[in-house]
Amino acid sequence: MHEAHLLRKVVALDRSNRAVIVDSITQIGPEDAGAIIVAASHGGVSSGEFALAVPLSAAFFNDAGIGKDDAGIAALQMLDARGVAAGAVSHATARIGDAQDMWNHGVLSRVNACARRLGLAPGDRLQSALQTLAQAISRGTPGSPRPASRRS
């Protein structure tokens, strides 16, 4: 019997910001507060609910082909309503459920308004977008979350 091993990896983006890379959004918990999450899950409503359960700096998903009524990216609007930057990588650039592939090859297909205000845009490579986001957070750019190290 094959036992599934889900990836969970922490990557330092700079001195104050970290990305937590997970195959499934269900892997995040209270220890991830303040982190930028890269989850290879679809960006639907259920993923948005998991992401909203933890106070994250930002969250990124797989767009899962977008789907009917934008169901594959519904979490982006949910997070935007709470002031959290979010985006989705194109399913054509990264495998759904494979966070390492998303990290290595992902290209943003959609971003919410919060992410756009912080300098992210569709067409950005995921790793570059996260560096841009980390810099905005560290500079205290209006609309960016406070760095995790300064949260109370």
Side-chain angles (χ1 to χ4, degrees):
M1 186 170 187
H2 178 70
E3 184 179 324
H5 294 282
L6 296 176
L7 176 70
R8 180 184 170 84
K9 181 164 72 172
V10 178
V11 176
L13 298 172
D14 62 21
R15 290 178 22 189
S16 303
N17 298 285
R18 62 185 161 62
V20 178
I21 302 166
V22 293
D23 284 337
S24 172
I25 192 67
T26 63
Q27 294 171 259
I28 69 168
E31 69 276 11
D32 299 316
I36 297 169
I37 298 295
V38 174
S41 299
H42 62 76
V45 171
S46 60
S47 293
E49 290 171 352
F50 277 102
L52 287 170
V54 177
L56 304 174
S57 288
F60 295 84
F61 307 93
N62 190 298
D63 73 13
I66 309 290
K68 183 178 180 181
D69 299 325
D70 291 341
I73 57 167
L76 277 59
Q77 293 297 357
M78 294 169 67
L79 291 161
D80 198 57
R82 290 275 194 80
V84 179
V89 302
S90 170
H91 68 286
T93 65
R95 290 184 294 273
I96 300 168
D98 185 340
Q100 190 65 58
D101 191 50
M102 189 169 158
W103 179 254
N104 292 341
H105 305 288
V107 175
L108 294 176
S109 62
R110 303 284 178 96
V111 297
N112 67 10
C114 289
R116 192 171 292 108
R117 284 191 298 275
L118 296 172
L120 280 59
D124 291 347
R125 293 190 54 76
L126 178 64
Q127 287 190 41
S128 298
L130 296 188
Q131 288 298 328
T132 298
L133 182 58
Q135 290 168 5
I137 293 169
S138 293
R139 284 192 312 266
T141 300
S144 67
R146 294 183 314 180
S149 62
R150 290 188 284 201
R151 291 176 192 249
S152 53

